[in-house]
Amino acid sequence: LAGLLPVTRALAQNAAASSQKMPVLFIGHGSPMNAISTNVFTQMLAQWGRSLPQPTAILVASAHWLTRGSTGVTVNAQPQTIHDFSGFPKALHEMRYPAPGHPTLAQEAARMIRSGTAATTDQWGLDHGTWTVLHHLFPKADVPVFQVSIDYNQGAAYHLAVGRELAALREQGVLIIGSGNIVHNLRATVRGTPDGLMAARDWAQQFDGVAKAALDARNDKALAQYADLHASAAMAVPTPDHYWPLLYAVGAATGLGAPRHVFEGFQSGTISMRCLQYGA
């Protein structure tokens, strides 16, 4: 893979977590198998996690929690590990990520969402868009985690706005993560395709490249209007569920500069594993 980039900052002390303004991350999470795989991507996640300041809590907008008509916010004190997939090895189904929740901050997050209706719930936990990457970033599962859903009835402007509304949580030590994939077309994957940037389908490389250029230019409007970015968008983003989490990260990073591309590459030829960090 093309993108294991050096990470040099030291891990912040827990005592400073509550007063330290958190960065914003976007993670291309890919297959659930990354949870139990050792590869360049998962090695990067472990290294990246050691470089991050210790959060008070983690908020994740995952591609795998879609709602309709309102934005959900989990308020579970002990969220369950959701195995929202099938056909994978027993070891993956047996995995648990026993991080606590943070009901107080989750309730506050729900109040911050003003662009639409927000509803708190304890009927969701941590789906695989969340725990498969946090397993590597924060392997001790000792940081509270809660999720915000993606209202699939809403368009790009809404998702960008909710990200901006949640940005103030960074001041309270909340690490905001969007977890999806900029390019995600499972129907076009080719089994056995080697991991790597140049091993991807041409249209997948093209869209990932133009999205990178828009990210570097902080052209948030262009990112929201992704269908107009390039003709490859129709194949690269056949449905927006995995793309929308990017807009939560972009919105939460309003006022920050261009992101650092922590990782870039592809799995299965059509899944962009691009990962971003906004802020120190």
Side-chain angles (χ1 to χ4, degrees):
L1 285 167
L4 183 57
L5 305 181
V7 182
T8 58
R9 289 181 299 109
L11 180 65
Q13 297 297 316
N14 289 352
S18 62
S19 61
Q20 183 168 358
K21 190 171 184 178
M22 288 292 115
V24 177
L25 313 183
F26 173 75
I27 299 175
H29 64 248
S31 168
M33 284 298 293
N34 285 313
I36 57 174
S37 299
T38 299
N39 53 40
V40 179
F41 171 70
T42 60
Q43 290 170 341
M44 175 280 300
L45 288 178
Q47 183 183 3
W48 194 9
R50 290 190 293 270
S51 80
L52 293 169
Q54 186 75 3
T56 300
I58 300 168
L59 179 160
V60 183
S62 165
H64 294 281
W65 188 22
L66 305 177
T67 52
R68 290 187 180 274
S70 66
T71 297
V73 185
T74 56
V75 292
N76 316 46
Q78 295 293 329
Q80 65 174 318
T81 303
I82 301 174
H83 298 83
D84 49 335
F85 44 72
S86 61
F88 288 94
K90 182 179 178 182
L92 186 59
H93 286 273
E94 291 178 342
M95 282 193 70
R96 299 292 183 272
Y97 189 76
H102 202 309
T104 301
L105 282 170
Q107 293 278 2
E108 185 169 350
R111 290 192 293 270
M112 288 177 169
I113 297 171
R114 301 178 298 277
S115 294
T117 303
T120 58
T121 181
D122 61 2
Q123 299 302 301
W124 195 256
L126 306 180
D127 61 56
H128 83 263
T130 295
W131 65 265
T132 62
V133 293
L134 293 185
H135 163 70
H136 296 290
L137 284 171
F138 297 96
K140 294 181 180 179
D142 56 352
V143 180
V145 184
F146 62 100
Q147 289 196 205
V148 170
S149 78
I150 294 172
D151 184 351
Y152 210 55
N153 286 355
Q154 300 285 353
Y158 176 82
H159 304 301
L160 195 61
V162 172
R164 288 170 177 158
E165 289 164 358
L166 294 170
L169 289 170
R170 296 176 54 226
E171 304 281 355
Q172 300 184 54
V174 178
L175 178 65
I176 298 175
I177 301 177
S179 178
N181 296 97
I182 290 175
V183 177
H184 186 267
N185 189 328
L186 294 182
R187 292 190 176 187
T189 57
V190 180
R191 291 185 180 183
T193 301
D195 292 350
L197 191 64
M198 301 311 295
R201 298 287 189 91
D202 288 346
W203 50 262
Q205 292 181 43
Q206 289 166 350
F207 188 81
D208 191 61
V210 295
K212 179 180 180 180
L215 287 161
D216 290 343
R218 281 294 332 208
N219 192 342
D220 299 357
K221 182 178 179 181
L223 290 165
Q225 297 174 349
Y226 71 90
D228 298 326
L229 271 177
H230 192 269
S232 57
M235 285 294 290
V237 190
T239 59
D241 46 292
H242 276 68
Y243 186 86
W244 289 151
L246 174 66
L247 298 185
Y248 286 78
V250 169
T254 297
L256 298 175
R260 179 163 59 93
H261 297 268
V262 180
F263 189 84
E264 55 185 4
F266 276 81
Q267 290 183 344
S268 301
T270 66
I271 302 174
S272 169
M273 305 301 291
R274 184 172 299 281
C275 296
L276 312 168
Q277 178 171 333
Y278 292 89

